[in-house]
Amino acid sequence: MTAFLIANMAPIMFGALVLLLLLGYPVAFSLAANGLFFGLLAIDLGLLTPALLQALPERVFGIMRNDTLLAIPFFTFMGLILERSGMAEDLLETIGQMFGPVRGGLAYAVVFVGALLAATTGVVAASVISMGLISLPIMLRYGYDRRLAAGVITASGTLAQIIPPSLVLIVMADQLGRSVGDMYEGAFIPGLSLAALYAVYVLVMTLVKPDWAPALPYDALTLREDNDKAGYPSLLAIVLAAVIAAVLLTRTMHPICAAGLAGLRA
């Protein structure tokens, strides 16, 4: 038995971790308990030396003092704020109303909002849960195919892994010894390209299977101006004003500050 444990320590350890996760224990506690248990077992079997456990406190405090990894809890907290406050729901509803008259408009809205939530939270759970709970019942109510609706929501939620700011990119930057800015710069174009490919897929599906993604009926479009028009000219004017303000302000201040002030002006 001892020889079997020594020869297969890694797969047994991985299987025990999977079992703990399937039992419903939190990931953090499962990883810690699994590592400590098999560490003690490896010391008993003579695979490790007890001195290695003395480095555990330094390892923990070293991670806690890591300035790069400090961004992870803050991005997670920001995603929870968007989810619990209802801002993500309002954003998805507004974008859905804007794309509603177009065939497959709700699917486009999910892709667009998925990219926006990815850029603001970096948390996959916040994006998928928000869009799944809000948009899936609406898409099914208006005749969207279940496979298309679920696929678009799931795929758009994973954009949080690549569109900056991404928690995965922060961890990769720490492990690779590169700056977070370099990782974000390298992932920005691929992330937007992936979101564009999702939108192209929805467009192809609306051409091949038009009954899978119908347009919203007129009664469902509730966000209208006083003259009963959709208000697209007003939206276009606001976007142009924000873009012009951002371009002008960028010449005198940091681009992030310029974008924030332009958004407030809009």
Side-chain angles (χ1 to χ4, degrees):
M1 185 65 179
T2 302
F4 176 79
L5 289 175
I6 294 175
N8 301 278
M9 179 65 72
I12 293 175
M13 185 176 180
F14 179 75
L17 176 62
V18 174
L19 180 61
L20 289 174
L21 294 177
L22 291 177
L23 290 175
Y25 290 101
V27 176
F29 298 129
S30 299
L31 288 172
N34 194 62
L36 288 174
F37 174 77
F38 280 93
L40 296 175
L41 181 61
I43 291 174
D44 184 65
L45 295 175
L47 298 176
L48 300 176
T49 60
L52 290 175
L53 289 181
Q54 298 178 3
L56 182 60
E58 289 295 330
R59 178 65 176 169
V60 172
F61 282 102
I63 294 176
M64 294 176 64
R65 290 194 299 262
N66 193 319
D67 294 336
T68 302
L69 299 181
L70 277 176
I72 294 179
F74 287 104
F75 281 136
T76 306
F77 179 63
M78 184 165 56
L80 290 175
I81 290 177
L82 288 176
E83 179 187 347
R84 300 296 174 85
S85 65
M87 294 176 63
E89 180 178 356
D90 295 339
L91 178 63
L92 186 58
E93 180 182 359
T94 304
I95 301 298
Q97 291 280 327
M98 184 176 68
F99 288 102
V102 183
R103 183 180 297 167
L106 289 178
Y108 292 125
V110 168
V111 173
F112 187 73
V113 173
L116 290 179
L117 291 180
T120 54
T121 64
V123 184
V124 174
S127 301
V128 175
I129 292 174
S130 299
M131 293 189 299
L133 294 176
I134 301 166
S135 62
L136 184 59
I138 299 176
M139 297 173 77
L140 297 180
R141 185 192 312 158
Y142 291 110
Y144 275 68
D145 184 77
R146 293 178 179 270
R147 292 166 291 182
L148 177 63
V152 168
I153 293 173
T154 306
S156 301
T158 58
L159 291 173
Q161 297 283 15
I162 187 172
I163 294 182
S166 169
L167 301 186
V168 175
L169 294 178
I170 295 175
V171 176
M172 288 181 61
D174 177 69
Q175 296 298 317
L176 297 177
R178 303 295 297 272
S179 69
V180 179
D182 291 341
M183 303 296 292
Y184 283 180
E185 185 177 357
F188 188 74
I189 299 300
L192 294 182
S193 301
L194 189 60
L197 288 176
Y198 291 159
V200 171
Y201 174 78
V202 173
L203 175 62
V204 173
M205 293 305 299
T206 56
L207 297 177
V208 177
K209 299 284 187 178
D211 56 323
W212 281 21
L216 290 181
Y218 181 82
D219 298 337
L221 304 176
T222 57
L223 298 180
R224 294 184 172 275
E225 293 184 340
D226 296 336
N227 55 5
D228 201 34
K229 293 185 178 180
Y232 291 112
S234 301
L235 177 63
L236 180 61
I238 293 175
V239 172
L240 289 177
V243 171
I244 294 173
V247 172
L248 295 177
L249 292 173
T250 303
R251 300 178 180 178
T252 58
M253 62 182 64
H254 194 276
I256 296 179
C257 298
L261 291 177
L264 290 175
R265 177 185 177 186

